[in-house]
Amino acid sequence: MKKKEVLRKAIAVLSAVTMAASVMACGNTSPGQTGSDSAPAKEQETQNTDTQTETSADSGTDTQGGKDTWLTDEMVTITYARSENSLQPYNPDCATVQWIRDNLNINLEVSTYADYETKMNTLLAANQLPDLFGMWGNVSDVVGTECLLELTDLIDQYAPNIKKDYEEIPELSRYKVNGGIYTLAQIRRDENWEQGSVPCIRTDLLEEQNLEVPTTWDELYDVLGKLAKAYPDSIAYGCRGDDRLLFNYMSPIKGLGGEYGLYQDEDGQWHMGCLEDSYKEALQYIHNMYQDGILDNEYLIVSADDWKSGLATGKYLFYFDNPVFLDTLNTTLRETDPNAKLEPIMFLANEDGVTLNYGHPNNYYNVWGINADTENKEVVMKFVNWLYSEEGGRLMNYGVEGEHYEMVDGSPKFKDEIVEEYLSRTGDPTYEAGSEIGIGDLFMAMSWYSNYDAAFKSTSAEAWTRENIHKVYAEHMDCVIQQPVEPPYTAEESTRITEINQSYMDYSKTEINKFVSGERSFDEWDAFVEELINKGAQERVDIANQAEQRFQEEN
């Protein structure tokens, strides 16, 4: 225990420094936290404080044995924490938590926090972590504090649903740490309609200028150049910062034929994209856009809100990013221009005639962990296993059967009166229902029906719902590939990776932006690559390949 206490004291120091320094949030979404497409969270801590004094008569149970659905004879309280999201604040009176209490004999006490990482580090340092929680920060670092329960034996004994997922979804094994299972993944149970970032353009302006819809990146360059000249008060290409332009898997870099970070080739070997000429060539394309005034020259300082505002007011005419904003953007655009149409177009081919796009992952948007010190390990494991069941998945995505949804042709379907009720609200019906019923991936949908909210979206063929967007690309989903998942690393490898990333990553991004702006010449590219190698970038690749070989031998 001495090691654990030392580690927790270290976390306490880290948490204090974090709060004092007001550390900026990472660009990538941490497990258990809301994504960058969500509104900022508002500080809130809420708890379901129901007591354990409800009689068996009140809960509809048999005084001598309870319900067959109970997971435990004596009611057990399980504490649960996740990040707060202002779009869907937790409602302690939500139907699913009450159903769990009545039918599983589990009293679920829920806490939500806006500054989630700081709060969880504080709870860790004070040895006050809840039983179950959304993960935060770097999983390997959290595992190193010994606060996470290793789940392999418990899964074998009490969690057949989770065990089946590990047998049928090979990628889950890649998230092990030191050979052990420390986290629980969100598993998508329906079709993946999310094709990743897509090109979206003002098609009304293409018609106005008699321009064909581009089908390649070269054609896009020409079209945007003509739009920039035809509409000098607008900027052809707008983006939200440099991450979605140059570095993220959702950036256009893959479509242009390059990679920034780690990726696997067809033989399973790992490579670092920014060390290769293909990345340089993709970067030159973006540099040319910058130099020709096609790309917003202030992209580095454009926030997500400013970017959306620019698209909604006609400042920007094209973007390559998430298409889910289209309906909202078009609504605002048409307040001043009724004919405005910002629409998704087909994936673009690169100069080699290849069309590829990274899609959103099938699994692992959210990740959960169990406190190593929880008093009821077996019951918590049984409860989590139930959440991965078909019944659990339906409850946490659709609510209570008969009350909120009914089964139609073997699939859950929201009842008409539920849909009508939430569509009549002034707020977003998906989040209104999510908050009041207690459903969706912003709460605790470990088994995730990612299209559960389709009923709350517009049924108009004109609306750019997730389903209608998917229809645009449905026959071209062979162009969409999964984001690479790195192999599991040892504790020593993880520590070294952290050191290497700190050495080269921020430096590489700063210098790459200089190549885009022209502050640094592409004549210096080879020297830049050597700088990254000297900062450990190639060693980072070597560690990945060593871990991959070990993983393949063990599996």
Side-chain angles (χ1 to χ4, degrees):
M1 293 298 293
K2 288 184 178 180
K3 178 182 178 184
K4 184 183 290 189
E5 292 305 317
V6 169
L7 287 165
R8 283 183 172 148
K9 288 179 181 179
I11 287 291
V13 173
L14 174 62
S15 178
V17 171
T18 300
M19 289 185 287
S22 299
V23 176
M24 295 185 296
C26 297
N28 294 328
T29 304
S30 294
Q33 294 180 291
T34 58
S36 59
D37 293 343
S38 300
K42 179 168 63 178
E43 181 66 42
Q44 177 177 339
E45 179 177 344
T46 56
Q47 288 193 333
N48 173 16
T49 55
D50 292 344
T51 65
Q52 299 182 38
T53 59
E54 180 182 22
T55 66
S56 56
D58 291 334
S59 61
T61 61
D62 188 315
T63 56
Q64 297 186 359
K67 295 184 177 180
D68 291 339
T69 55
W70 279 9
L71 299 179
T72 172
D73 293 336
E74 298 291 332
M75 181 172 285
V76 170
T77 293
I78 295 177
T79 54
Y80 171 57
R82 66 154 299 137
S83 61
E84 174 61 28
N85 188 298
S86 60
L87 287 174
Q88 185 178 314
Y90 171 65
N91 175 11
D93 297 321
C94 64
T96 54
V97 169
Q98 184 60 49
W99 191 96
I100 288 168
R101 179 183 175 86
D102 292 343
N103 293 277
L104 301 184
N105 213 23
I106 298 294
N107 179 44
L108 190 64
E109 290 188 354
V110 181
S111 299
T112 61
Y113 309 106
D115 190 359
Y116 192 69
E117 184 167 351
T118 298
K119 182 64 177 181
M120 294 304 287
N121 280 332
T122 300
L123 293 175
L124 171 59
N127 197 23
Q128 295 179 347
L129 285 175
D131 299 308
L132 178 66
F133 43 83
M135 287 298 298
W136 75 98
N138 183 289
V139 171
S140 295
D141 291 342
V142 179
V143 170
T145 68
E146 300 184 358
C147 72
L148 290 178
L149 186 63
E150 204 287 310
L151 305 174
T152 303
D153 289 342
L154 288 169
I155 289 173
D156 286 341
Q157 296 178 64
Y158 303 107
N161 295 320
I162 300 174
K163 187 173 182 179
K164 182 179 178 182
D165 281 334
Y166 266 86
E167 292 171 350
E168 296 182 351
I169 308 174
E171 71 187 68
L172 293 181
S173 293
R174 288 182 171 270
Y175 296 101
K176 292 181 179 180
V177 178
N178 294 329
I181 301 173
Y182 289 89
T183 59
L184 300 161
Q186 184 176 55
I187 306 298
R188 191 191 299 262
R189 301 300 188 189
D190 56 4
E191 184 180 2
N192 187 347
W193 286 351
E194 298 170 295
Q195 58 289 310
S197 294
V198 301
C200 300
I201 197 167
R202 286 286 299 274
T203 54
D204 59 309
L205 301 184
L206 295 183
E207 295 171 7
E208 192 172 287
Q209 297 299 319
N210 294 315
L211 296 172
E212 295 291 329
V213 174
T215 61
T216 70
W217 286 97
D218 286 342
E219 289 176 7
L220 175 70
Y221 195 102
D222 292 338
V223 165
L224 292 184
K226 291 173 181 177
L227 289 179
K229 291 178 181 178
Y231 305 99
D233 293 334
S234 296
I235 299 172
Y237 187 170
C239 59
R240 46 171 165 169
D242 61 352
D243 189 54
R244 291 286 182 112
L245 177 68
L246 304 171
F247 310 120
N248 196 286
Y249 286 127
M250 295 293 101
S251 77
I253 295 297
K254 182 64 177 179
L256 287 164
E259 301 267 5
Y260 166 73
L262 282 173
Y263 73 95
Q264 273 183 297
D265 62 23
E266 295 180 353
D267 296 325
Q269 288 294 302
W270 289 92
H271 303 266
M272 181 69 73
C274 61
L275 302 181
E276 300 178 342
D277 286 344
S278 56
Y279 183 72
K280 171 188 174 184
E281 292 164 3
L283 206 60
Q284 286 175 317
Y285 178 95
I286 294 172
H287 162 74
N288 292 338
M289 279 191 161
Y290 183 100
Q291 293 295 103
D292 290 346
I294 296 172
L295 174 68
D296 185 0
N297 280 197
E298 296 183 342
Y299 72 88
L300 263 174
I301 60 173
V302 176
S303 68
D305 287 341
D306 289 341
W307 169 71
K308 291 177 189 176
S309 175
L311 289 164
T313 58
K315 176 182 178 180
Y316 300 133
L317 310 179
F318 168 87
Y319 77 87
F320 185 89
D321 206 303
N322 198 329
V324 299
F325 309 117
L326 286 171
D327 270 353
T328 302
L329 296 173
N330 277 312
T331 297
T332 306
L333 273 170
R334 289 166 188 164
E335 291 175 359
T336 55
D337 184 354
N339 297 318
K341 290 190 296 184
L342 182 60
E343 298 182 308
I345 60 175
M346 191 48 58
F347 303 126
L348 303 169
N350 62 30
E351 62 181 6
D352 295 325
V354 177
T355 304
L356 284 178
N357 207 63
Y358 276 128
H360 289 295
N362 286 327
N363 308 303
Y364 237 70
Y365 270 120
N366 294 311
V367 192
W368 292 268
I370 297 175
N371 186 354
D373 293 333
T374 186
E375 295 181 359
N376 297 288
K377 295 178 176 62
E378 294 82 3
V379 175
V380 173
M381 197 73 251
K382 289 179 181 179
F383 173 57
V384 168
N385 179 68
W386 181 86
L387 289 172
Y388 282 99
S389 70
E390 287 188 18
E391 184 181 30
R394 292 198 297 267
L395 180 77
M396 302 313 297
N397 288 274
Y398 290 90
V400 179
E401 185 173 4
E403 181 178 348
H404 304 109
Y405 78 92
E406 53 195 0
M407 297 299 292
V408 178
D409 297 328
S411 298
K413 180 180 180 294
F414 281 112
K415 298 178 72 174
D416 291 342
E417 56 265 37
I418 295 297
V419 175
E420 291 170 5
E421 166 62 24
Y422 288 106
L423 285 176
S424 70
R425 306 284 185 89
T426 56
D428 187 301
T430 296
Y431 300 125
E432 292 262 350
S435 184
E436 291 189 7
I437 301 174
I439 55 177
D441 63 320
L442 293 183
F443 183 38
M444 195 165 55
M446 294 186 180
S447 274
W448 181 38
Y449 290 82
S450 58
N451 304 312
Y452 77 97
D453 60 344
F456 297 121
K457 305 302 183 183
S458 171
T459 57
S460 168
E462 302 268 328
W464 288 115
T465 62
R466 188 163 59 240
E467 183 175 6
N468 285 344
I469 293 168
H470 174 66
K471 289 177 180 178
V472 174
Y473 302 97
E475 296 182 2
H476 301 272
M477 291 301 284
D478 56 337
C479 298
V480 178
I481 60 175
Q482 286 292 302
Q483 298 177 23
V485 181
E486 294 179 46
Y489 296 109
T490 66
E492 293 76 14
E493 288 170 339
S494 295
T495 298
R496 181 56 186 149
I497 286 170
T498 299
E499 294 171 349
I500 293 172
N501 288 348
Q502 290 173 346
S503 173
Y504 92 90
M505 192 167 287
D506 286 346
Y507 176 78
S508 73
K509 292 181 177 181
T510 298
E511 297 304 303
I512 285 168
N513 277 294
K514 291 180 181 178
F515 283 107
V516 171
S517 68
E519 184 178 347
R520 189 164 182 178
S521 170
F522 279 93
D523 292 339
E524 300 178 31
W525 183 261
D526 290 343
F528 168 65
V529 169
E530 284 300 316
E531 291 167 7
L532 297 186
I533 292 173
N534 291 336
K535 289 179 176 292
Q538 185 57 51
E539 182 186 352
R540 176 73 178 86
V541 177
D542 295 339
I543 293 173
N545 280 316
Q546 291 166 9
E548 182 68 33
Q549 181 178 352
R550 182 176 63 245
F551 175 75
Q552 294 298 335
E553 291 172 351
E554 294 173 353
N555 293 273

